[in-house]
């Protein structure tokens, strides 16, 4: 309940509680700090890690491949 109260969401495919990135950096830090304080006060250890990067992010366009010229000049 502590994690849910601070905005964490459980993601079963990652087996982890994650914070949505929509909160912003300072809000994320405050939420994490609050959870760590409450859980450690209850004797619960906390392990933090970054989630995997979003694979749906836009990638820069690749340069087109130019086929080698097959014509010969004499």
């Amino acid at each position: 309940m502590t994690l849910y109260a601070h905005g964490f969401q459980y993601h079963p495919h990652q087996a982890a509680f994650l914070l949505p990135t929509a909160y912003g950096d300072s809000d994320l830090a405050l939420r994490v700090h609050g959870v760590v304080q409450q859980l450690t006060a209850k004797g619960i250890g906390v392990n933090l890690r970054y989630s995997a990067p979003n694979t749906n992010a836009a990638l820069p366009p690749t340069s087109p491949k130019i086929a080698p010229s097959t014509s010969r000049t004499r």
Side-chain angles (χ1 to χ4, degrees):
M1 292 310 297
T2 301
L3 292 167
Y4 286 119
H6 284 85
F8 283 77
Q9 300 169 354
Y10 185 70
H11 293 262
H13 64 281
Q14 293 187 23
F17 285 91
L18 305 175
L19 278 171
T21 56
Y23 285 123
D25 290 341
S26 61
D27 198 22
L28 290 173
L30 289 172
R31 290 171 184 274
V32 168
H33 182 72
V35 166
V36 169
Q37 282 186 325
Q38 289 184 10
L39 293 178
T40 54
K42 296 176 183 180
I44 300 170
V46 177
N47 291 319
L48 302 175
R49 63 178 167 93
Y50 285 101
S51 63
N54 184 356
T55 57
N56 295 332
L59 298 175
T62 58
S63 59
K65 296 189 183 218
I66 300 172
S69 176
T70 57
S71 64
R72 296 183 185 201
T73 57
R74 292 185 189 218

